[in-house]
Amino acid sequence: MRLITVNATVTASNDRDAEALRNRLTEKGTLLVNVMSAAGSGKTTLLSRIIRDMPEMKIGVMEADIASDVDAKTIEALGAEAIQVHTSGMCHMDAGMTAAAVDAMEGHADLLFLENVGNLICPAEYDTGAHLNMMLLSVPEGDDKPLKYPLMFQKSGALVITKTDALPYFTFDLDRCVERAKKLNPAVNVFPVSAKTGEGMEALEAYLRAETQKLSAKEF
Amino acid sequence: MHEMGIVLHLARTLDETAEEEHLTKIGKVVLQVGEVSGIMTDLFTDAWDYFKVRHPVLKDSVLVLETIPAVTYCDACKGTYETVKYGKVCPLCGSEETWLKQGSECIVKEIEAE
């Protein structure tokens, strides 16, 4: 037996796969957005709204869930290409799984969403190969979530606060929430929205357009 | 299950190392786990034992876990303190401008192999 010094993080091979996938998608002109949040925060509703509001963009969605295909069917009904990924019990998507899902998509997408497994913990730990991590926090979940799940807030380039139409019914303090999130991640872009009423959607959609345009300028 | 996912990645990293170094058998695997990495060591060892027998190179391996203590750095007073004991607020000056210096890692330190 000989001793071999490895000194590699356990996710080193994942990080390599993620970088390779990101470069491949940049070449293809596809912006990959990793959408993360707790279960029930409105990921599918938000994506449905974006698809309806941005008909000029070719949008694709990869739905990752432990079981069922209800989300993929909802997206397909809107005319966008959607595939369902089953993670076989795994609580997150990694770069290898994401690359396999990307390969399974048939048409070209300018904007490709990976709807990660509903969970504020493990998905934050894996680089999926996305250009942008976008997390959702819904008003009913509470403004204390940045304190409880700091890594998710640190890893996200965009924080979308969803269900703002429900603000009058909850003790959710929007300013306090944003302040807590910015303390963890000063560069985070915050978008309070209601996918139901459309409030705030314009700013989020303008941001997604601008991020997609960055691809052609190779800013990733 | 969280630990199972990490075990899958660990096995892959070790398979790659085995190929690079032309190893046929890995005996001991020393893994450094941060105190606040969120990894439950008992569950992790169980998941490893379940998984390793499915990998020829790893089937006789023993996992040794070393803990990396969690340390937080304070931007305000430039001091460091134990994360687990004091959390986000610096016990030296009361500031919340603090960040985790170490303790969230999961690193394969070394392996014994032939």
Side-chain angles (χ1 to χ4, degrees):
Chain A
M1 285 270 172
R2 61 190 170 111
L3 190 70
I4 299 164
T5 307
V6 183
N7 248 334
T9 160
V10 164
T11 53
S13 62
N14 184 66
D15 294 346
R16 272 200 305 278
D17 291 351
E19 206 48 47
L21 177 61
R22 203 162 17 249
N23 290 336
R24 186 150 70 87
L25 288 168
T26 304
E27 287 304 314
K28 277 172 59 174
T30 298
L31 184 84
L32 178 61
V33 181
N34 176 23
V35 185
M36 299 182 284
S37 78
S41 62
K43 290 187 290 296
T44 309
T45 306
L46 183 79
L47 295 183
S48 300
R49 177 92 203 191
I50 289 171
I51 291 165
R52 278 201 302 269
D53 288 354
M54 299 168 81
E56 78 285 5
M57 292 269 240
K58 272 202 142 358
I59 297 178
V61 181
M62 305 182 291
E63 295 282 352
D65 283 297
I66 286 174
S68 105
D69 61 354
V70 287
D71 287 350
K73 282 190 172 140
T74 306
I75 298 293
E76 264 176 356
L78 297 166
E81 185 180 354
I83 57 164
Q84 183 71 50
V85 183
H86 280 170
T87 59
S88 314
M90 286 268 260
C91 49
H92 63 270
M93 289 288 286
D94 64 23
M97 293 154 86
T98 308
V102 166
D103 290 339
M105 297 290 290
E106 283 171 2
H108 170 79
D110 307 314
L111 186 53
L112 181 57
F113 290 104
L114 168 66
E115 195 180 317
N116 216 313
V117 181
N119 168 355
L120 282 178
I121 310 161
C122 334
E125 293 176 11
Y126 293 87
D127 187 347
T128 56
H131 298 95
L132 169 68
N133 283 334
M134 178 168 97
M135 77 162 291
L136 275 59
L137 175 69
S138 68
V139 164
E141 287 168 67
D143 55 33
D144 58 350
K145 293 300 166 288
L147 305 176
K148 294 187 178 177
Y149 306 100
L151 188 66
M152 179 61 77
F153 288 82
Q154 280 161 356
K155 294 273 179 178
S156 295
L159 164 63
V160 184
I161 299 175
T162 59
K163 309 189 188 180
T164 54
D165 52 291
L167 274 170
Y169 311 104
F170 290 90
T171 53
F172 188 99
D173 186 329
L174 192 57
D175 292 340
R176 193 165 54 181
C177 183
V178 173
E179 188 193 316
R180 284 169 172 166
K182 292 247 176 187
K183 206 172 244 178
L184 292 167
N185 180 358
V188 71
N189 294 287
V190 184
F191 302 96
V193 305
S194 164
K196 195 173 158 189
T197 67
E199 196 188 355
M201 289 301 298
E202 224 168 275
L204 174 61
E205 285 156 5
Y207 170 73
L208 289 172
R209 271 190 204 98
E211 290 295 300
T212 310
Q213 277 156 12
K214 273 194 198 169
L215 266 195
S216 27
K218 298 268 184 310
E219 283 179 37
F220 285 98
Chain B
M1 184 176 135
H2 184 62
E3 279 71 15
M4 197 63 185
I6 301 165
V7 162
L8 286 174
H9 285 287
L10 171 61
R12 237 178 84 187
T13 303
L14 293 176
D15 275 345
E16 284 178 9
T17 309
E19 211 181 300
E20 280 164 22
E21 305 272 345
H22 309 290
L23 308 172
T24 52
K25 190 179 168 192
I26 293 179
K28 189 166 91 174
V29 179
V30 182
L31 195 68
Q32 294 180 306
V33 179
E35 205 179 357
V36 294
S37 64
I39 295 170
M40 307 278 292
T41 50
D42 287 0
L43 281 178
F44 193 90
T45 309
D46 283 352
W48 178 252
D49 289 341
Y50 171 83
F51 197 79
K52 70 176 187 186
V53 293
R54 285 153 182 83
H55 277 239
V57 184
L58 303 174
K59 70 176 171 37
D60 298 318
S61 65
V62 180
L63 193 62
V64 178
L65 298 177
E66 292 179 359
T67 305
I68 300 176
V71 176
T72 296
Y73 179 82
C74 174
D75 267 341
C77 73
K78 316 290 177 209
T80 57
Y81 62 90
E82 293 169 58
T83 311
V84 174
K85 200 166 170 187
Y86 300 104
K88 180 78 184 150
V89 182
C90 176
L92 308 166
C93 73
S95 168
E96 275 187 49
E97 306 297 320
T98 59
W99 47 271
L100 189 68
K101 200 177 162 201
Q102 61 169 63
S104 63
E105 306 83 348
C106 186
I107 300 166
V108 186
K109 185 182 165 193
E110 57 193 23
I111 56 176
E112 266 179 25
E114 60 191 36

